[in-house]
Amino acid sequence: MGIFSFGRKDPKDTPANEAPLSAVPAAVEAQEKPRGLLDRLKAGLAKTAQVLRTDVRDLFKREGRLVDEDFLEELRGVLVRTDMGPAAAEAIVVDVRERLRARVVDPDVVLDSIRTQLLGRLRNTEAGLGTAASGPTVILVTGVNGSGKTTSIAKLARMFTRDGKRVVLGAGDTFRAAAVEQLSMWADRLGAEIVRGPQGSDPASVAHKAVARAVEVGADVCIVDTAGRLQTQSNLMQELSKIRRVVAKLVPEAPHEVLLVIDATAGQNALSQAKGFKEAAGCTGIVLAKLDGSARGGVIVPVTEQFGLPVKFVGLGEGADDLEPFAPERFVAALLEGAFAPEG
Ligand code: GDP
Ligand code: MG
């Protein structure tokens, strides 16, 4: 009746033209994956790992090959193909040149060099989310359209509900009706409550209602979606700071996290777009979505370096379980484990 509907939404209420059911891939979500974290990460990073494994191994194929400038250039090419960025690739090349100059290629040294450089560059990241001292922990999720915000919210909600936490979602991307429907379907599926407003309504008022509802029902976490398509940076800035203001009035120190979702497959252009969101939103951490299925998982290195924010989670698929807290050691191990091992 009111502007905001609380509680689960009956999918039958959804107008056909607004309900992209395909936006929530049922098949992917249905298959439970009781695998360990390292195995899941390895599966998600398989394509990037393959570039490092097969392509680097190919460099060693010629028996007794010496480490000369040709070899080093080929190595650089392979590294750059993973999107780890020219600086990291150069550092590895310099290190390998120093350690192996004019000697026969030693795969272990190359592997060790890649591992050391990646770990060094990913080390300043910290996992874990800030939480509220009392009242619900409020998490805003921001980023470019299509980067994976809504899906990441579903994944976070799943993570919390798995832990027995009560979650309220705020459908703050009021710009697109489909976005609200998509989040509603996830809420339904995950057993989380959702607070929505009509299309085009003020996102800050949706955020306010969502956080107020979370306080009212004693929820542990309130996750608020935001629109990814805004005309100008000042527009974006205004909207996000308004959201911050209204939630801060309800819960001290809220928002406790502002997560910037970045699409790992989207290339340099998407990274510079995402920068606008970082600056406008006062982000506290990154969710690097869509690392799976991409051979460019090395992009986590320039993302970490360019944004100066910790990568808190990585997205490894379209399902609700395909989110992992980011841990540099595990990430690098997943990428390099078994690399250069004899074939077969
Ligand atoms: P939003 O516009 O930022 O809210 O982005 P969505 O959450 O709607 O995601 C856009 C598309 O990317 C959807 O088709 C999602 O299923 C897909 N997606 C999101 N995260 C991942 C991920 O980690 N891996 C893969 N493979 N697809 C993802
Ligand atoms: Mg969305």
Side-chain angles (χ1 to χ4, degrees), residues 23 25 144-152 155 176 182 289-292 315-318:
V144 177
N145 238 356
S147 57
K149 288 183 297 300
T150 304
T151 310
S152 298
K155 293 170 177 178
R176 298 177 298 167
Q182 186 189 358
K290 310 189 201 178
L291 262 183
D292 60 299
L316 296 168
E318 294 183 279

